[in-house]
Amino acid sequence: MDLSGQTHFPVFKVQLFTMKHRSTPLLFVLVAPFVLQLAAAVGIVGFFSFQTGRAAVDDLASQLRSEVTNRIQQKLTNYLNSPALVNQLNAEAFTLGEVDSAAPDSVLQHFHRKIQLFPAANYISFGSATGDYLSIDRLEENDTLRVVVANANTGGDMHIYATDTAGNPTQRVEVIPNYDPRIRPWYRVAANSRAPAWSEVHTYFTDSMLAINYSQPLYQDGNLLGVLTNNLGLAEVGDFLREIKISDRGQTFIVERSGQVIASSSLPKPFRVVNGEVKRVSAADSDDSLLGATFAQLQHEFGNLKGIRTAHQLNFTAAGQRQFVQVTPLVSYPELDWLIVVTIPEADFMAQIYANTRNTIWLTVAALGIAIGLGVLTAHWLTRPMLKVIAASEEMAQGDLDQQVDQSSRITELETLAHSFNSMAGQLKESFETLEDKVEERTAELASANEQITALNEKLKAENLRMSAELDVARQIQDMILPTIAELENVEGLEIVGYMDAADEVGGDYYDVLQTNGVVTIGIGDVTGHGLESGLLMLMTQTAVRTLQELREYDSVRFLDTLNRTIYHNVERMNSDKNLTLTILNYSEGRVSISGQHEETLIVRADSTVERIDTIDLGMPIGLDDNITEFINHTIVELQPGDGVVLYTDGIPEAYNIHEKQYGMARLCEVISQSWSKSAEEIKQAIIDDVHHFIGKQKVFDDITLLVIKQR
């Protein structure tokens, strides 16, 4: 309705029609959120369930790899410990004379007793430096013992005898011609190193089995008598690896860093017999594909495997399946250069997790179907009474405001909606009838409010102009009382430059240079805070200092006491809590008297050395108390040609950059020292440039004042 009383229903109709075509069907609004929530909830639960299961598998596989590796470490350590112990016992027996190396029967009887104490030993032998060989062997297939002899009595051939229960040779069962122990690997490694040592992995002299020897040289009076050796077959290591149950397809193997297989749970034998010659199996060309793939991955990760010094766990994919691998060096005998490798396929653990994931997907699909069906039925039930409200609304849009809908419903909210619609229809009809009066009343109120706002804006503008003018006048007055360049240049014997930059319109820093009868009075101070009130106190201070200097008051105690009482009573009258730090310097004929509490006074010598004078004990803040006589003191400094003084306010050392780092006294002193050979103006500019460079884009929060005084 406009002010003429006409109702523009066609406009309302067009808007309703446009909104209708841009809207979303209620059926979709009611069904889609529930379906999406259900799908999202089930999907998220399923995803996190799968991820949790996979993480649990990773953790389990990690623990299992470590546990299996520890078992193998322990087994190998126990297995490899016995040769060293056997050799040590035998060496002590020879050294103590319990066994005579020149008496074969004595040696063999001793070896027979020892091999019965160490069931892991395959044979215990002694090869002499003259080429004799004595040994007690254990046959692995039936655990029987044999005596093996090769010496001058056998013509250099190896004679192998069966033994009775006492270890005495009975029947000769085999002869191997031309056996010399000194050319065997186990003899050479000990004789060459002159210390106990492990041999390389080799085959038995009498059959095709892998073995390793631990040998110890035996010396008498510095001469080599021979080598004691203890042999360990590696077939038992392979048997142990095959006994470890990891998972359905999990494997363990032991390899040298060169890639030669020591033992494997997946290979019956770690060697091949080709044309009667034993060839060791390399992991890279093993018949077992998983062993070969695992070793290839280790080479890819670590290069030549020399860099593996601690346990490493890694994952890789072989034949489309993820594999968990742990490689660990043999820590108890690092000289053997063996690596223990445990490989576990992820699929051995993930079968149940994959099954649960499939079940979750099917349950999700079924739940979505049920949710959609129930949602459609519920939406139809809810939308029927709402469609009646929509139809009545469209009739109202056509201009028929006399509309009512049925309020009876089993759903409380729909009943409330119908009741609210009927009430709204009545109120809308009444509102259209009284709209013109309300529009006129509101228009009058807005006009009155607009007049008040305009008046307030004009008043605020005038007030801002007045305050700006007052602050501008205060700043001009403050600038006017600062010493001019001409005044500073007329100071005899001194080169003086000053700088002051206020953080606000009116600053609270103070400095002045006054000269009377050959005495130069220099003052610098800092009023607490800044702004108009601080600037006013700065002007009072300048006037008081000027007055005392004109009265030729050079006694520091009377000077500062009189100044303090003047400022104190003025501040008290102003009902202000302001005060200021102030240092007064009196210079005459190369002597400087310093009094009053302010920042440190910097005395700079001609050689650029900076001396820092703490003024904390030379006075106290001005205007803080009416009597500060007992706190006032002074100190005298002698200046030589080229020496000088630098005065400043805390706006310099306490300046911060955007990283909240403080400028600091150390940096200030460094800049002064580096530039002191220049003129006072150049020194001042170097300091100000460095401070602004340090501050950068950070806002300046405090007034910055600087005085550079240099004796000519």
Side-chain angles (χ1 to χ4, degrees):
M1 178 181 292
D2 61 13
L3 296 179
S4 65
Q6 296 178 346
T7 304
H8 296 275
F9 292 110
V11 177
F12 186 24
K13 177 181 178 180
V14 172
Q15 292 175 345
L16 182 62
F17 181 81
T18 303
M19 292 173 61
K20 178 179 179 180
H21 280 273
R22 292 180 179 176
S23 61
T24 303
L26 183 60
L27 178 64
F28 178 81
V29 173
L30 292 175
V31 175
F34 295 104
V35 173
L36 291 176
Q37 289 178 34
L38 180 61
V42 175
I44 291 173
V45 171
F47 173 78
F48 281 108
S49 176
F50 179 79
Q51 291 297 108
T52 302
R54 191 162 196 172
V57 166
D58 289 350
D59 183 61
L60 177 62
S62 176
Q63 295 183 39
L64 183 58
R65 282 177 282 175
S66 298
E67 178 63 27
V68 171
T69 300
N70 290 337
R71 288 182 60 190
I72 296 174
Q73 288 269 20
Q74 184 177 5
K75 175 67 177 180
L76 286 177
T77 300
N78 292 338
Y79 192 63
L80 296 172
N81 279 344
S82 61
L85 180 59
V86 171
N87 286 342
Q88 184 63 35
L89 293 174
N90 289 337
E92 291 178 355
F94 276 89
T95 302
L96 296 174
E98 297 175 0
V99 178
D100 185 1
S101 61
D105 292 341
S106 172
V107 174
L108 291 171
Q109 284 296 322
H110 178 77
F111 286 173
H112 183 268
R113 291 192 298 271
K114 287 296 181 285
I115 201 169
Q116 290 178 317
L117 296 176
F118 295 92
N122 290 329
Y123 61 75
I124 301 175
S125 310
F126 174 69
S128 71
T130 60
D132 294 345
Y133 179 73
L134 301 172
S135 176
I136 294 293
D137 292 7
R138 175 183 280 112
L139 294 177
E140 294 186 10
E141 58 269 19
N142 55 19
D143 201 34
T144 59
L145 301 179
R146 302 188 305 180
V147 169
V148 180
V149 179
N151 54 22
N153 295 331
T154 64
D157 299 332
M158 176 185 285
H159 288 196
I160 303 174
Y161 300 90
T163 62
D164 56 21
T165 56
N168 298 312
T170 56
Q171 179 183 359
R172 189 172 66 187
V173 296
E174 187 177 0
V175 176
I176 299 175
N178 300 323
Y179 181 81
D180 187 349
R182 294 171 295 183
I183 65 175
R184 297 297 292 167
W186 57 264
Y187 188 98
R188 288 181 174 180
V189 69
N192 292 337
S193 64
R194 302 179 62 85
W198 291 96
S199 71
E200 295 181 354
V201 175
H202 58 84
T203 59
Y204 284 137
F205 188 79
T206 56
D207 53 28
S208 299
M209 297 294 288
L210 294 186
I212 188 169
N213 282 62
Y214 189 74
S215 304
Q216 178 174 335
L218 188 63
Y219 289 91
Q220 186 176 33
D221 298 329
N223 298 317
L224 179 66
L225 291 180
V227 174
L228 292 164
T229 189
N230 192 342
N231 173 272
L232 291 176
L234 298 179
E236 183 176 339
V237 178
D239 294 340
F240 170 72
L241 296 183
R242 285 185 284 275
E243 291 173 358
I244 299 177
K245 298 300 179 183
I246 308 174
S247 65
D248 293 341
R249 288 166 289 180
Q251 293 186 14
T252 60
F253 57 93
I254 302 171
V255 295
E256 295 176 322
R257 294 183 191 267
S258 63
Q260 300 294 321
V261 179
I262 300 297
S264 170
S265 63
S266 60
L267 297 177
K269 294 180 180 180
F271 59 87
R272 302 185 184 100
V273 179
V274 181
N275 297 327
E277 184 179 358
V278 176
K279 299 289 186 181
R280 293 183 62 190
V281 172
S282 171
D285 57 6
S286 166
D287 295 334
D288 187 279
S289 59
L290 181 57
L291 190 154
T294 302
F295 186 77
Q297 182 65 27
L298 292 177
Q299 287 182 313
H300 175 73
E301 291 283 340
F302 303 102
N304 61 6
L305 308 186
K306 294 294 184 182
I308 302 177
R309 298 302 174 191
T310 58
H312 294 274
Q313 291 190 347
L314 58 143
N315 306 328
F316 76 99
T317 301
Q321 293 187 349
R322 190 164 172 247
Q323 309 290 331
F324 299 112
V325 178
Q326 176 165 326
V327 56
T328 309
L330 179 62
V331 295
S332 54
Y333 289 96
E335 65 270 22
L336 290 179
D337 226 15
W338 290 0
L339 297 175
I340 302 168
V341 183
V342 179
T343 304
I344 307 173
E346 183 187 45
D348 288 357
F349 302 95
M350 293 295 292
Q352 186 61 43
I353 294 177
Y354 289 138
N356 291 339
T357 302
R358 289 192 295 270
N359 292 338
T360 301
I361 293 173
W362 284 114
L363 288 173
T364 302
V365 173
L368 286 176
I370 295 172
I372 293 172
L374 291 176
V376 171
L377 292 176
T378 303
H380 278 297
W381 182 42
L382 292 174
T383 55
R384 276 197 302 270
M386 297 180 68
L387 291 174
K388 295 179 181 179
V389 175
I390 294 172
S393 300
E394 291 178 345
E395 291 295 327
M396 292 178 65
Q398 297 297 327
D400 185 3
L401 300 180
D402 192 11
Q403 296 292 325
Q404 294 290 308
V405 296
D406 184 9
Q407 297 183 195
S408 61
S409 175
R410 295 182 180 180
I411 301 176
T412 302
E413 288 77 10
L414 292 178
E415 183 178 9
T416 302
L417 175 63
H419 175 75
S420 299
F421 177 82
N422 292 337
S423 177
M424 179 195 67
Q427 293 176 13
L428 184 61
K429 184 177 180 181
E430 181 182 355
S431 296
F432 268 94
E433 294 173 353
T434 60
L435 180 59
E436 184 175 356
D437 295 337
K438 292 182 178 179
V439 169
E440 291 178 355
E441 181 183 350
R442 186 59 178 165
T443 301
E445 292 175 354
L446 290 174
S448 176
N450 185 57
E451 291 177 358
Q452 294 178 16
I453 292 173
T454 301
L456 289 173
N457 283 337
E458 291 297 328
K459 185 177 180 181
L460 182 60
K461 182 178 179 181
E463 184 66 20
N464 285 338
L465 290 173
R466 183 189 64 79
M467 290 184 63
S468 177
E470 290 178 354
L471 290 174
D472 188 53
V473 170
R475 172 142 192 167
Q476 290 180 29
I477 294 173
Q478 189 178 58
D479 291 340
M480 289 169 60
I481 66 170
L482 292 176
T484 65
I485 296 176
E487 288 182 82
L488 298 180
E489 290 178 348
N490 288 332
V491 176
E492 185 178 352
L494 295 177
E495 183 183 358
I496 305 176
V497 292
Y499 175 88
M500 187 167 73
D501 184 19
D504 267 338
E505 291 87 348
V506 181
D509 279 2
Y510 156 76
Y511 83 89
D512 204 353
V513 178
L514 304 170
Q515 183 175 212
T516 304
N517 295 334
V519 177
V520 181
T521 300
I522 303 168
I524 187 166
D526 185 3
V527 182
T528 55
H530 38 83
L532 186 58
E533 189 176 342
S534 296
L536 183 59
L537 188 57
M538 175 266 199
L539 293 174
M540 295 179 189
T541 303
Q542 193 276 342
T543 301
V545 171
R546 182 78 180 195
T547 301
L548 290 169
Q549 196 266 353
E550 290 293 337
L551 292 174
R552 295 171 176 76
E553 180 58 77
Y554 302 126
D555 182 88
S556 59
V557 176
R558 289 196 300 270
F559 190 102
L560 288 176
D561 178 58
T562 303
L563 174 64
N564 174 72
R565 284 186 283 108
T566 301
I567 297 300
Y568 176 80
H569 292 301
N570 273 353
V571 169
E572 189 175 37
R573 174 177 290 180
M574 292 166 55
N575 195 24
S576 172
D577 59 353
K578 299 289 185 181
N579 58 79
L580 74 152
T581 61
L582 177 67
T583 290
I584 298 296
L585 282 71
N586 286 316
Y587 169 84
S588 178
E589 297 179 356
R591 290 169 57 87
V592 178
S593 172
I594 305 171
S595 60
Q597 185 185 111
H598 184 59
E599 304 299 319
E600 293 182 6
T601 298
L602 302 181
I603 305 300
V604 188
R605 299 303 181 183
D607 62 357
S608 299
T609 303
V610 179
E611 301 173 5
R612 297 166 58 175
I613 298 178
D614 192 348
T615 62
I616 191 70
D617 294 326
L618 301 182
M620 68 178 295
I622 303 299
L624 194 63
D625 190 88
D626 65 342
N627 187 359
I628 63 170
T629 305
E630 60 181 305
F631 300 102
I632 301 173
N633 206 339
H634 74 281
T635 184
I636 302 295
V637 176
E638 297 285 346
L639 296 182
Q640 301 298 327
D643 293 349
V645 181
V646 176
L647 304 174
Y648 57 91
T649 58
D650 60 359
I652 293 179
E654 295 180 6
Y656 284 87
N657 59 17
I658 58 174
H659 305 294
E660 298 185 0
K661 184 178 178 182
Q662 199 174 67
Y663 185 79
M665 285 299 300
R667 181 163 180 162
L668 174 59
C669 292
E670 182 180 357
V671 173
I672 294 171
S673 179
Q674 291 176 353
S675 59
W676 191 250
S677 60
K678 302 176 182 178
S679 67
E681 174 63 28
E682 291 174 320
I683 298 168
K684 179 266 292 182
Q685 196 58 45
I687 297 171
I688 297 303
D689 289 346
D690 189 65
V691 171
H692 284 294
H693 175 73
F694 174 82
I695 294 174
K697 297 180 180 180
Q698 177 66 286
K699 178 182 177 182
V700 177
F701 294 102
D702 200 0
D703 305 330
I704 294 177
T705 300
L706 176 67
L707 271 174
V708 178
I709 305 152
K710 193 170 184 181
Q711 183 159 291
R712 298 181 190 277

